[in-house]
Amino acid sequence: MSDRLAVLPQYLLPKQALTMLAGRLASAQAGALTTAMIRRFVARYQVEMQEAAQPDITQYASFNEFFTRALRPGVRPLAQADLVCPVDGAISQLGRIERDQIFQAKGHHYSTTALLGGDAQRAAAFQDGSFATIYLSPRDYHRIHMPCDGRLQRMEHVPGALFSVNPLTARGVPGLFARNERVVCHFDTPLGLMALVLVGATIVGSMATSWHGQVNPPRTGQLRRWDYADGQVTLRQGEEMGRFLLGSTVVLLFQRGAAQWQPDWQAQRPVRLGQAMGQRG
C-alpha cells in the first residue's frame, strides 16, 4: 500500500473533535483510573520513568501532568557546542533550505513562507539557510529547550489541520508541517535569526511556552500574533521554552551560513536533549 493511501483515513477523521476530546480526558483528575491509564501508556511505549524527577506514576494527578513531566537534574547534560539538540526525539530531516523550499520526505517539499504562516518578509531571512525537523514520539520527554541563547522577537499561533506527524504521515501528506496547526517563535541569537516552530498534531491537546503559558486552545481559526520588546523575553541555551501535550514535531530554521550540523546528524537518527547539534557556520 502506498503512503498516500495509508494516510487517506486521516483526511476523513474528525481530527479537531478527537483532539478536543483527548485534551479533556488528559486533563481529568480521575484518581485510580488516571493511574491505570498512565501505567498502560508507560508499558506500551516503554517510557523510561527512572529519568523522571517524579518516577512514581501514582503521584501524577492527571495524564497531562505525567506527559509533561520534568526530568531528574543531570540526566541531560548540555554538550559544549554552539547548538544543542532542543528535544528528545528522532531526526525526521535536516539540511539546506533550497531557496525557500524545505525537504519533508521523498517527493514532498514546503515553503518557508507557508511554514511561517504566510509571512514572506520573515521567511526571506531564511533563504538558502538550513533546517532541522525533529519528531517526538509518544514515549519521549515532551518539553522543548533552547538550542542556543535567544531573545524572543515574536510569537504566532497559526491555525491549521491536525494530521498525525509520524514518519508515515510525513511521507504521505504533502506540506504536512505547513498545514498543521503550529506555534512559531522568532528569536535573535548569537548565530543570527532563528525560527523555532512547534507543530501540532492529532490528539495534541495543546502547546505552551514558558513566557506565555498555554497558547492553544483557544482555537479561533485566525492567526494570532504577539510581539516582544528587545530583552523582554531572554532565554539561555538549554533553558525550557515550551512543551507539547502528546507527541509532535519541532522545526528549526537558521539563516544562510549560520549553522553547520554535526557530521553524524542524519535522518532517522534518535537524538536527545543537550547533545551537540551543530556549530556556528
Side-chain angles (χ1 to χ4, degrees):
M1 182 186 295
S2 73
D3 293 330
R4 290 201 177 188
L5 281 176
V7 301
L8 184 59
Q10 291 194 47
Y11 286 88
L12 306 176
L13 286 171
K15 295 180 285 294
Q16 184 149 333
L18 286 172
T19 299
M20 291 173 64
L21 176 62
R24 292 194 186 103
L25 292 173
S27 61
Q29 298 186 15
L33 183 60
T34 294
T35 300
M37 183 166 61
I38 293 171
R39 182 174 288 111
R40 183 174 181 180
F41 187 95
V42 168
R44 178 177 178 182
Y45 292 106
Q46 299 181 321
V47 179
E48 297 175 336
M49 290 304 297
Q50 71 277 10
E51 294 186 339
Q54 175 51 271
D56 183 356
I57 63 170
T58 67
Q59 297 302 304
Y60 294 101
S62 69
F63 187 85
N64 279 346
E65 191 176 302
F66 152 74
F67 200 80
T68 58
R69 63 195 176 276
L71 293 175
R72 286 192 295 107
V75 298
R76 295 289 187 276
L78 298 184
Q80 295 295 314
D82 294 328
L83 291 169
V84 298
C85 185
V87 293
D88 284 4
I91 302 167
S92 176
Q93 297 293 341
L94 81 164
R96 182 183 171 192
I97 300 168
E98 301 292 340
R99 298 186 67 181
D100 69 338
Q101 294 294 300
I102 301 171
F103 181 67
Q104 176 178 301
K106 185 177 180 180
H108 297 306
H109 292 75
Y110 59 95
S111 73
T112 52
T113 299
L115 179 69
L116 301 182
D119 192 333
Q121 183 175 352
R122 284 190 176 266
F126 302 104
Q127 186 98 344
D128 293 317
S130 53
F131 79 96
T133 306
I134 307 174
Y135 168 66
L136 288 72
S137 73
R139 75 186 299 267
D140 289 320
Y141 168 68
H142 273 76
R143 299 190 186 192
I144 306 113
H145 296 250
M146 290 293 290
C148 57
D149 295 350
R151 295 191 305 276
L152 183 66
Q153 297 179 328
R154 172 177 290 180
M155 179 178 74
E156 294 169 318
H157 173 238
V158 184
L162 289 168
F163 287 97
S164 169
V165 290
N166 61 31
L168 172 65
T169 312
R171 296 192 301 269
V173 176
L176 173 64
F177 304 122
R179 295 176 73 159
N180 269 15
E181 177 182 36
R182 54 208 178 275
V183 174
V184 180
C185 302
H186 295 276
F187 289 95
D188 184 20
T189 81
L191 287 76
L193 299 178
M194 174 184 75
L196 199 165
V197 184
L198 284 61
V199 183
T202 312
I203 314 297
V204 176
S206 69
M207 293 176 278
T209 63
S210 60
W211 58 87
H212 182 91
Q214 182 172 295
V215 179
N216 68 312
R219 291 183 169 93
T220 64
Q222 302 295 319
L223 187 145
R224 294 182 291 148
R225 176 177 296 151
W226 298 264
D227 288 307
Y228 298 88
D230 187 36
Q232 184 178 350
V233 179
T234 300
L235 299 171
R236 304 289 294 176
Q237 184 182 61
E239 193 171 348
E240 182 185 339
M241 63 77 57
R243 59 185 67 179
F244 288 115
L245 277 70
L246 297 185
S248 202
T249 290
V250 168
V251 182
L252 292 158
L253 305 183
F254 290 95
Q255 293 180 283
R256 181 177 181 177
Q260 189 170 38
W261 305 124
Q262 290 291 105
D264 58 347
W265 265 52
Q266 303 292 333
Q268 313 312 316
R269 174 192 156 167
V271 291
R272 287 203 161 186
L273 166 67
Q275 290 178 338
M277 182 170 73
Q279 301 293 339
R280 189 189 301 266

